[in-house]
Amino acid sequence: MKKSITIAKYTLLEVLKSKVLYNAIFLGLGLLLITYIAYSFTYGDPSRVALDFGLGTLSLSSVGIAIFIGVGILSREIESRTVYMIVSRPVSRSSFILGKYLGLGAVLILNVLLLSLITLSLYSFIGGEYNYLIPWAVALTLLESLLVLALVGTFSLLSGKIMSVMYTIVLYVLGNSISSAMSTNFVENRPGFKAILEAYHFVLPAFYKLNIKEFVLYENLVESSYLVGSLIYCVIYILALVLLSIFIFNRKNLD
């Protein structure tokens, strides 16, 4: 574990040097602008508009960064041949992959913390009221980005960069829309197709479980069992993908 933490530290520093977190600064400026517009010109509840935009930006930004940094989890090291130096030392392949995931996960945590701090500060500044679901929304957004990171990282060990990104985006879109699709008349009237969609949950990630923005903005209430269940579901899925990545990398020919 000590070796994994060391690799995680250098991975974090490497990503920070690439200035990827400047994304949070630019989006923060965008949040300031949209909050001003909402506060000045929106009829009704401008704080809700600001929170809606902030949570949406937080999710899309985190997912985008996860894909951007996760797709090259191994390819950059192979191209620069640094991976050969690392695994030739007394560092196991498992420790290497785990360290990479920990380091990249730390980048996502920093991004979510920065943007959520800006979002909630602006929301509070224009009179938004505290809702216990807001911290849950931020936490689930973080888990969503970590799940995307694990997903694209696993794909990157099996295929090229472009295909890994495409597979991840497709599964992300499907995972967010499958719940709505199952409630349509088209699916309800076709039991066979509905059974296929229900089987989706046992194999592929159901991202919609992590999106509670509508509840935060309009209903202000979610059963605690749903929140805890979504959290456990995501953590288990992330761990399963990390273990799968380790399994694949241990059998990968680096020659």
Side-chain angles (χ1 to χ4, degrees):
M1 192 64 189
K2 183 178 180 180
K3 295 174 183 177
S4 295
I5 293 175
T6 301
I7 294 172
K9 181 179 72 173
Y10 284 106
T11 300
L12 173 61
L13 293 175
E14 179 186 359
V15 176
L16 291 180
K17 287 179 181 179
S18 68
K19 303 177 182 179
V20 70
L21 286 184
Y22 279 11
N23 157 80
I25 297 176
F26 292 126
L27 289 176
L29 294 175
L31 286 172
L32 286 172
L33 177 61
I34 199 66
T35 301
Y36 171 76
I37 295 173
Y39 185 75
S40 303
F41 302 105
T42 300
Y43 294 99
D45 189 355
S47 62
R48 179 179 295 177
V49 175
L51 183 61
D52 185 7
F53 183 82
L55 292 177
T57 302
L58 177 63
S59 178
L60 291 177
S61 166
S62 301
V63 168
I65 291 179
I67 294 175
F68 175 75
I69 64 178
V71 71
I73 195 170
L74 185 60
S75 59
R76 284 190 295 269
E77 280 72 17
I78 293 178
E79 292 170 359
S80 62
R81 307 189 73 82
T82 56
V83 67
Y84 300 97
M85 299 173 58
I86 295 173
V87 298
S88 64
R89 298 177 180 181
V91 177
S92 67
R93 293 192 179 195
S94 301
S95 297
F96 176 75
I97 286 293
L98 182 59
K100 296 295 289 185
Y101 273 123
L102 290 175
L104 297 178
V107 174
L108 294 177
I109 291 173
L110 288 175
N111 178 75
V112 170
L113 287 177
L114 286 172
L115 277 179
S116 60
L117 179 62
I118 295 172
T119 297
L120 298 182
S121 297
L122 293 174
Y123 175 70
S124 176
F125 177 75
I126 62 177
E129 297 181 356
Y130 174 77
N131 183 338
Y132 80 99
L133 289 178
I134 294 178
W136 273 102
V138 173
L140 292 178
T141 297
L142 173 59
L143 286 175
E144 177 188 54
S145 65
L146 293 174
L147 178 54
V148 170
L149 173 66
L151 192 63
V152 71
T154 303
F155 281 135
S156 69
L157 295 174
L158 295 170
S159 61
K161 291 183 179 181
I162 296 178
M163 295 307 298
S164 299
V165 171
M166 291 181 62
Y167 293 148
T168 303
I169 293 176
V170 168
L171 288 183
Y172 179 75
V173 173
L174 288 176
N176 275 295
S177 60
I178 189 171
S179 178
S180 301
M182 291 183 65
S183 62
T184 62
N185 291 330
F186 178 85
V187 175
E188 291 290 343
N189 295 330
R190 292 166 176 78
F193 187 56
K194 185 176 181 180
I196 293 175
L197 293 182
E198 290 176 345
Y200 176 101
H201 298 76
F202 296 99
V203 182
L204 302 174
F207 283 100
Y208 74 89
K209 293 178 179 289
L210 307 175
N211 185 2
I212 62 169
K213 188 174 71 170
E214 297 300 318
F215 295 102
V216 175
L217 296 174
Y218 303 109
E219 299 186 23
N220 297 324
L221 181 65
V222 181
E223 292 184 4
S224 57
S225 59
Y226 180 86
L227 296 172
V228 174
S230 298
L231 187 149
I232 294 174
Y233 167 85
C234 189
V235 170
I236 292 175
Y237 213 115
I238 291 171
L239 292 176
L241 286 173
V242 171
L243 291 175
L244 179 59
S245 295
I246 291 173
F247 176 82
I248 294 171
F249 187 52
N250 281 334
R251 285 155 179 77
K252 191 176 183 65
N253 184 6
L254 297 179
D255 296 332

